[in-house]
Amino acid sequence: MTATVLEPTGDAAMDTDVAPEDGARAGQRAAAGNTEATASAKTAGPAQAAVASSAEAAGSVEASGTESATKPIPLRRNRNFNLLWGGAVSAMLGLSTADIAYPLVILALTGSPLKAGLFATVQLIASVLATLPVGQLMDRKDRRRLLLLSESVRVVAAGSVAVAYFLGALTFWHLLLTAAALGAIQPFAGARTLLLRQVVAPEQIPAALTAEQVRQQGCELAGPPLGGMLFGISRALPFLFAMAAGLFSLLTVVLLKLPKSVTLAADQAADQPEGPAAAGTDTERGGALLGLKTIMRDPVMRATTLALCLVNTAGYPVFLSLVVRMHQQHAASGTTGLVVGAMALGGLAGTVLVKPLHKVMRPGWLLIVACLVFAVANFGMTFVGAPAADAAFLALSGAVIPSAVVMVNVLILQAVPDEQRGRTAAALDVFLLIGMPAGMLVASAALQWFSPTGTLLGLSLLMTVAVLYSVSQKALRAAQWPDAQQG
């Protein structure tokens, strides 16, 4: 299973088909001065994003001391954007298809909920350990090469499981090694989103952000039912599909045509020295811990991330609890996939709620309400216990996720320059991930010795703690949207 990753928005290149390195860099600098704050405020919702995506707004590009007006190419004709977005669709669909199959195949091999939970625990621990180093790499190294590396590892991992199954050699230890590999490369997914946001104009960022949400929710909706259906045909099919999807995603990265000023963080391609001098400069700028320091010294950022940490600690093991309960009820694997995919269905519907929710709520209260919805949904799944009701409560939870994602993008990730975004996004991911291995391990042990319903009750009580914490934070309750602060 994969954790929800709240991804950053980056500076944008203008027309990447006709932009040499220096011209693209000049365009980014000129555009950033005039439109970055506006782009941050625009991330209010899909309705505004649709306007932004269809607009042919003019931007000014500075080159050789002169300024000339250029128009950003529409997203539908932006070759690099479409390659990155299409590759992300393929990668996410393959990943979400395999995610539902891993606990199912472990339950089929061992019959142990504890071992099924250990897979996710190992994956999460590997992600936590890799996140900060990978975040620093994304600010220092070529992001396209990092993406090529991560996609190659993903293909090999899924393919090895399928081959081992066909040879009759698939073991629990093989699956744990696969979990470690998948977890370690998971943070590299941020390289794709950083690149994606750099190949669109600043005024197109809301449309690109909405497209990302549609992509993520759509894949998470389609993946679990598809994985359950394929697993019902053959236990190896979900992993073969994930391998094929990974190969397609890898091909899209190979076909990218990006200037160095895009594949490296802003101001790094020309300004960052190599060798020991690079390490010294990086240390002066905060090093790998810069993102953690940025978040922890700001009371709103700190309260937001700690609340989300509690939410993920209590929320992530819910999926395993439902899978085990339906397995004990002898539900079909396809039914299990449909139930798990219901959260993504709610998320897809929730994209239309972003604009109205951001209009009527301040950011802190939006997060508080989201935590309350999660708690209510958890208690509902605890006491009702029917697949249809589980799906409905998961959809309710998913409906508030897009608004929370945009809120985090606006309040945290767009508040830092591009050369620090990799580390800030990594720090945010650490907060989101760090409690999940403990939550998954405790839930796995509880499922081994107690009922899934009892485990869900404990998770619901922990989610209540997240609600109480978020309500208690004065800085969170008083937080304003950036455009309101400017006004």
Side-chain angles (χ1 to χ4, degrees):
M1 295 184 181
T2 55
T4 299
V5 178
L6 305 179
E7 298 167 330
T9 58
D11 293 334
M14 297 297 285
D15 188 340
T16 56
D17 290 334
V18 289
E21 292 182 18
D22 293 341
R25 181 178 302 281
Q28 288 175 340
R29 289 174 175 167
N34 296 324
T35 60
E36 183 70 17
T38 303
S40 299
K42 280 184 182 177
T43 54
Q48 288 178 325
V51 173
S53 66
S54 62
E56 300 265 327
S60 72
V61 176
E62 181 182 351
S64 303
T66 62
E67 295 185 358
S68 60
T70 61
K71 292 183 179 180
I73 59 176
L75 295 184
R76 66 180 182 276
R77 293 197 292 110
N78 186 324
R79 179 180 182 276
N80 286 325
F81 173 82
N82 288 322
L83 282 172
L84 286 166
W85 190 86
V89 169
S90 182
M92 187 67 183
L93 183 60
L95 194 60
S96 59
T97 298
D99 274 349
I100 191 67
Y102 283 117
L104 289 174
V105 77
I106 292 173
L107 287 172
L109 288 174
T110 69
S112 170
L114 178 59
K115 290 183 176 179
L118 280 175
F119 179 92
T121 301
V122 168
Q123 187 176 359
L124 290 169
I125 291 174
S127 289
V128 171
L129 294 177
T131 293
L132 287 179
V134 170
Q136 188 173 24
L137 283 175
M138 287 191 293
D139 283 342
R140 304 262 65 85
K141 302 297 182 182
D142 188 307
R143 292 166 177 173
R144 180 175 175 273
R145 292 181 180 178
L146 295 177
L147 193 55
L148 287 170
L149 172 64
S150 65
E151 292 302 289
S152 299
V153 172
R154 200 188 306 276
V155 169
V156 172
S160 71
V161 174
V163 170
Y165 176 79
F166 281 126
L167 295 177
L170 184 60
T171 65
F172 176 65
W173 294 108
H174 182 166
L175 291 166
L176 282 188
L177 288 174
T178 301
L182 292 174
I185 65 167
Q186 180 61 31
F188 284 97
R192 186 191 298 274
T193 55
L194 288 171
L195 287 174
L196 186 147
R197 286 156 172 79
Q198 285 181 288
V199 301
V200 302
E203 59 268 36
Q204 293 174 318
I205 287 178
L209 182 61
T210 301
E212 278 287 274
Q213 279 296 294
V214 171
R215 182 265 303 175
Q216 181 173 333
Q217 302 298 339
C219 290
E220 290 182 356
L221 172 62
L226 178 61
M229 181 189 71
L230 294 175
F231 187 85
I233 299 172
S234 170
R235 292 175 183 173
L237 278 181
F239 310 110
L240 284 175
F241 180 86
M243 181 182 70
L247 283 172
F248 180 82
S249 178
L250 183 62
L251 178 62
T252 63
V253 180
V254 171
L255 294 176
L256 286 174
K257 294 180 180 179
L258 298 172
K260 192 175 183 180
S261 58
V262 171
T263 61
L264 292 181
D267 297 327
Q268 294 301 312
D271 302 335
Q272 184 67 21
E274 298 292 336
T281 302
D282 190 60
T283 300
E284 293 173 4
R285 294 187 177 186
L289 299 180
L290 175 63
L292 288 175
K293 295 173 183 176
T294 299
I295 290 175
M296 290 305 295
R297 65 174 170 239
D298 184 280
V300 176
M301 291 185 185
R302 184 173 61 248
T304 299
T305 51
L306 291 178
L308 290 173
C309 176
L310 288 170
V311 165
N312 278 356
T313 302
Y316 191 73
V318 166
F319 293 102
L320 179 63
S321 303
L322 294 177
V323 169
V324 171
R325 184 163 69 182
M326 286 184 282
H327 178 75
Q328 292 178 355
Q329 294 172 347
H330 305 289
S333 57
T335 300
T336 302
L338 286 170
V339 170
V340 173
M343 176 172 273
L345 178 62
L348 199 59
T351 58
V352 303
L353 298 176
V354 175
K355 182 179 179 180
L357 286 179
H358 282 224
K359 274 190 173 183
V360 300
M361 291 184 189
R362 289 186 295 185
W365 283 102
L366 193 154
L367 180 62
I368 291 169
V369 169
C371 292
L372 182 61
V373 170
F374 295 147
V376 169
N378 277 17
F379 278 111
M381 288 181 284
T382 299
F383 294 113
V384 178
D390 292 340
F393 286 119
L394 284 175
L396 176 64
S397 296
V400 297
I401 288 177
S403 296
V405 169
V406 174
M407 171 205 141
V408 173
N409 272 278
V410 171
L411 288 187
I412 298 179
L413 297 174
Q414 299 221 138
V416 297
D418 180 55
E419 63 269 19
Q420 297 178 11
R421 281 200 180 112
R423 283 167 288 179
T424 305
L428 177 59
D429 284 347
V430 166
F431 280 107
L432 296 177
L433 292 170
I434 197 167
M436 293 164 64
M440 180 61 73
L441 188 60
V442 171
S444 302
L447 288 167
Q448 186 74 22
W449 292 295
F450 302 101
S451 69
T453 300
T455 302
L456 284 168
L457 177 60
L459 295 173
S460 301
L461 294 174
L462 182 56
M463 190 69 77
T464 304
V465 175
V467 177
L468 296 176
Y469 170 79
S470 59
V471 171
S472 71
Q473 297 303 298
K474 182 179 179 181
L476 196 59
R477 298 196 308 269
Q480 299 280 346
W481 294 110
D483 53 350
Q485 293 172 351
Q486 293 167 3

